[in-house]
Amino acid sequence: MRIMAFDYGTKRIGIAVTDPMQIIATGLDTIHPLKIIDYLKKYLQTEQVERFVLGEPKQMDNTPSQSAMHVKGFANLLKKTFPEIPVELFDERFTSKMASATIAQSGMGKKARQNKELVDTISAVILLQSWMSKSF
């Protein structure tokens, strides 16, 4: 079964998944928050997901950031809608900066680095890879 990670934002949610053997994390999509539940219901009709990993926004001093309440709300929505799939929060500090750096290092131009959907999807991949390295 797959693990699915979310880089939650009030405008976009970056999504990444593992392969069924949980070896590789891959960017899946970027979805508007109002469309995420329908998207997940459709995805779960064809794919099995063992766990949701949700980026937990924190300040440098380890306190919750301003967007933490939105993430908690999304976590509760996932738990309510998909009670059979556990939701785990995981520190997401620096994922957006790391995503931008990854895009820059890949040779893509400034336009790609400014593509917020691409940054959100890569942030979700980095979040999922980080979670996998700590969990396995």
Side-chain angles (χ1 to χ4, degrees):
M1 295 206 310
R2 298 176 187 270
I3 307 292
M4 182 176 274
F6 304 96
D7 179 41
Y8 184 85
T10 57
K11 294 181 181 177
R12 288 171 309 279
I13 301 173
I15 307 169
V17 293
T18 64
D19 62 291
M21 294 183 62
Q22 300 178 9
I23 298 169
I24 299 168
T26 306
L28 183 63
D29 216 334
T30 304
I31 301 294
H32 190 280
L34 295 177
K35 297 179 179 178
I36 189 68
I37 296 302
D38 288 338
Y39 179 91
L40 292 174
K41 285 179 179 176
K42 186 175 180 182
Y43 184 84
L44 292 171
Q45 288 175 357
T46 59
E47 299 292 340
Q48 291 184 314
V49 174
E50 174 183 312
R51 172 178 312 274
F52 293 138
V53 177
L54 184 53
E56 184 177 25
K58 293 182 178 184
Q59 305 281 2
M60 291 303 297
D61 65 359
N62 220 27
T63 60
S65 74
Q66 291 178 342
S67 58
M69 68 176 188
H70 299 291
V71 171
K72 296 266 192 227
F74 180 54
N76 289 335
L77 178 62
L78 288 174
K79 290 174 187 175
K80 179 181 170 191
T81 310
F82 307 104
E84 70 284 1
I85 303 175
V87 177
E88 185 174 332
L89 296 176
F90 190 76
D91 188 347
E92 70 167 18
R93 281 179 281 192
F94 306 115
T95 55
S96 294
K97 288 182 180 172
M98 290 168 56
S100 293
T102 300
I103 293 168
Q105 291 171 356
S106 72
M108 291 185 208
K110 184 177 181 181
K111 202 170 207 169
R113 288 193 302 273
Q114 293 173 337
N115 178 340
K116 294 182 190 299
E117 290 182 3
L118 179 60
V119 171
D120 290 342
T121 301
I122 293 175
S123 293
V125 171
I126 292 169
L127 173 73
L128 186 51
Q129 287 174 327
S130 298
W131 181 87
M132 290 167 60
S133 70
K134 288 208 164 65
S135 298
F136 293 121

